[in-house]
Amino acid sequence: MTYDLAVFLSRFAPPDHARLAMMKAALFCSRRVVALVGSAEATPTPRDPWGFDDRAAMLAAALGDDAARVTMLPLRDHLYNEDRWRAEAQAQVARVAGDAASIALVCTPQDAVLFPQWMRLDIDAPTAPPARAYRDALFDATGDGLSFLRAHTPAPVVDMIAAFRKTARFAELREEYRCIEQVRADWSHAPYPPIFVTVDSVVAHSGHVLLIERRDRPGRGLWALPGGFLEPQEWLRDGAIRELREETMIDMPTPVLLGGLRASRAFDHPQ
């Protein structure tokens, strides 16, 4: 064993053969492994159907006896604050590193640049299908989906996914998936890919934030900021005020609302 500790950064959604091979290689090279499970705080969606606990359980089942040498810890997404994401990853590792003098890293080359203090392990792992392929297989209504998962995912993980497909939460996520796919199909004949712009308002008062409960898919039943799609020929600020009125019936004149505006910000991550 070359290293005292290896750090493995991944979403593990799900833990497939490729990631399991990388985990085995990390265990061969180090005494212990810390698995930092990304997108740990995300609300379940078709893109992220499992929370941290679910994915940690899948990974433990796939590892078998080797799970005793792996510590699984959650890692939040900080899409607009790379320094904060890096600091959280380092803090999670420090929690369990103990007296580890040598630490290796298992991650993408892009993430490796953020942790120059750790040596990146160059592991020759099998090529994994794209994440979209796993989502399509998960929500496939025929037997082809499970066949795909059996080909690319360890048997214990497939069993857990099969059990998940029988739950009410899965049924709701599948309807969400179908809704999103229908929107894609509706716009598939557009002469160019559409770009949708949405606006939201954060209304704070007396230590509280004003939220709405989503009535429609996607995200039906979830708490959200009041907002919606920008209309043609509409300023961002005007769209945010319009959506705030439509969704909350807030009883304040527009000049008063604008007078209380403290800041505005654009969020442009593709997801």
Side-chain angles (χ1 to χ4, degrees), residues 8 10 17 51 88 97 127 135 143 177 191 204 209 213 227 232 239 251 254 258:
F8 194 169
S10 177
H17 286 312
E88 182 172 320
T127 302
R135 291 198 296 274
Y177 170 83
V209 174
E213 184 178 357
D251 188 18
T254 296
L258 293 177

Side-chain angles (χ1 to χ4, degrees), residues 3 24 35 49 80 101 114 161 166 168 180 190 197 202 214 230 260-261:
Y3 299 95
K24 295 281 189 180
Y80 293 91
L114 301 175
I161 292 175
K166 298 177 182 178
I180 295 171
V197 179
V202 182
R214 287 193 56 81
L230 191 70
L261 183 63

